[in-house]
Amino acid sequence: MDASTEGAGTASGAVVEAAGAGGRVAVAPASLSPSRAGDFMQCPLLYRFRVIDRLPEKPSAAATRGTLVHAVLERLFDAPAAERTAPRARSLVPGQWERLRESRPEVGELFADDPEGERLARWLDEAEALVERWFTLEDPTRLEPAERELFVEAELESGLRLRGIIDRVDVAPTGEVRIVDYKTGKAPRPQFAESALFQMKFYALVVWRLKQVVPRRLQLVYLGSGDVLTYDPVVADLERVERKLHALWEAIRVATETGDWRPRPTKLCGWCDHQAHCPEFGGTPPPYPLPVRAAAPEVVEQGRMGPG
């Protein structure tokens, strides 16, 4: 899971706010999370809509089911080890769904056109099946997580702040750290595994910078397909991720100052909530709400040739 809300302000600490679309407060980016880093890499304009304009998005059934399953797996560890059974986990689903509806009333819109509750019942059955599949992949009676739903934040020497929420942290008696993330979708094909591990290496970098400990193992648990993907990072991995994030943050800084946020069309555009504002679909972005800094004119010193 990921902390998806970026804080107000800039990397230098100066707060920059303006009136955004629909009266929402627009803010300059101040930190980077795995989700928002992924947004920028996927489409800079999507990043702008989510982080700066803060345009509303409709809840999706898949994402909401993922939130529900995460809540159930977190709460299961409240019980003594011997009571962490599949039936108990399934029994937690209805109650956690009610809690989710109370905390986020907008998710109720997913089933507004389901007066008989048939779609909701199938959706809850699917969530229960995902929870039950987890027991074929891990044995919670043998686990005592050190942390669950752990918010982490670290500031790099450059001033870049990284933040996120780790689903589970296991610490062995020897001190070795394992970072675990639950995914309710299917495992990616091998050629896309590196992209899937980006989020986990991001978390490992934050833990390394916070605790000076390189996690022994990164583990992705795919409940949709019943697969477990693991990776054992080394310092060189985390240094590469850090360099990548610095380059990404510099690109975000330039886009923030110039207001130049370009769409990057992919097959994922079909699921985007912001087509009405996207030039690729004939839409117009809302007026850019932050100050735009004009590019400095290029100066060529007398007696020297400019770049050829």
Side-chain angles (χ1 to χ4, degrees):
M1 188 171 287
D2 184 7
S4 60
T5 302
E6 310 295 348
T10 64
S12 63
V15 176
V16 179
E17 297 184 352
R24 285 171 292 275
V25 174
V27 298
S31 61
L32 200 58
S33 68
S35 289
R36 298 295 79 87
D39 285 345
F40 189 85
M41 289 187 288
Q42 176 187 326
C43 175
L45 186 59
L46 174 63
Y47 177 96
R48 176 202 148 170
F49 287 158
R50 285 179 166 169
V51 176
I52 295 177
D53 298 293
R54 299 190 176 186
L55 298 182
E57 297 182 354
K58 296 178 181 178
S60 74
T64 304
R65 183 171 54 231
T67 301
L68 174 60
V69 169
H70 277 78
V72 169
L73 298 185
E74 180 190 6
R75 291 276 69 82
L76 182 66
F77 284 102
D78 290 340
E83 297 177 19
R84 298 171 195 160
T85 64
R88 182 184 181 92
R90 290 180 68 111
S91 73
L92 292 174
V93 170
Q96 290 303 312
W97 168 236
E98 289 305 314
R99 290 188 63 181
L100 183 58
R101 288 183 59 190
E102 291 173 4
S103 62
R104 294 176 51 191
E106 68 274 13
V107 301
E109 299 174 10
L110 291 169
F111 304 102
D113 59 349
D114 182 35
E116 303 300 322
E118 295 178 357
R119 280 200 305 113
L120 173 59
R122 289 196 300 271
W123 184 82
L124 290 172
D125 285 344
E126 292 167 357
E128 290 181 7
L130 291 171
V131 167
E132 192 163 25
R133 180 172 288 155
W134 177 59
F135 287 82
T136 69
L137 305 174
E138 295 191 287
D139 182 358
T141 66
R142 301 178 63 183
L143 296 171
E144 291 297 340
E147 301 287 351
R148 290 172 275 156
E149 297 295 317
L150 175 66
F151 175 78
V152 291
E153 183 174 36
E155 184 170 321
L156 305 182
E157 290 184 0
S158 64
L160 171 57
R161 279 195 290 133
L162 306 178
R163 64 196 312 184
I165 298 177
I166 301 175
D167 289 345
R168 198 180 84 218
V169 179
D170 301 330
V171 180
T174 56
E176 295 177 316
V177 174
R178 177 172 63 180
I179 296 176
V180 181
D181 196 76
Y182 308 120
K183 299 295 184 184
T184 49
K186 296 181 179 179
R189 286 177 288 180
Q191 60 265 40
F192 299 114
E194 182 61 30
S195 177
L197 283 168
F198 171 75
Q199 175 185 0
M200 303 302 286
K201 292 180 180 180
F202 184 110
Y203 292 148
L205 170 61
V206 174
V207 170
W208 179 42
R209 289 307 188 195
L210 280 175
K211 304 292 186 181
Q212 288 73 54
V213 173
V214 175
R216 175 67 178 84
R217 173 153 293 179
L218 310 177
Q219 181 167 305
L220 283 160
V221 181
Y222 287 94
L223 305 177
S225 56
D227 295 297
V228 176
L229 176 63
T230 62
Y231 184 82
D232 297 341
V234 296
V235 169
D237 290 324
L238 306 187
E239 290 175 337
R240 281 192 294 271
V241 171
E242 189 169 31
R243 290 194 296 269
K244 180 176 183 176
L245 292 175
H246 277 127
L248 193 65
W249 189 243
E250 175 61 15
I252 291 171
R253 184 194 65 79
V254 171
T256 301
E257 293 186 352
T258 63
D260 185 7
W261 302 90
R262 302 187 182 185
R264 183 176 297 144
T266 68
K267 62 182 180 180
L268 298 175
C269 292
W271 285 273
C272 183
D273 277 350
H274 307 301
Q275 293 180 10
H277 296 289
C278 180
E280 293 295 320
F281 291 86
T284 302
Y288 190 56
L290 297 178
V292 174
R293 181 179 301 174
E298 184 177 354
V299 178
V300 179
E301 295 181 18
Q302 186 175 5
R304 298 182 60 183
M305 293 182 63

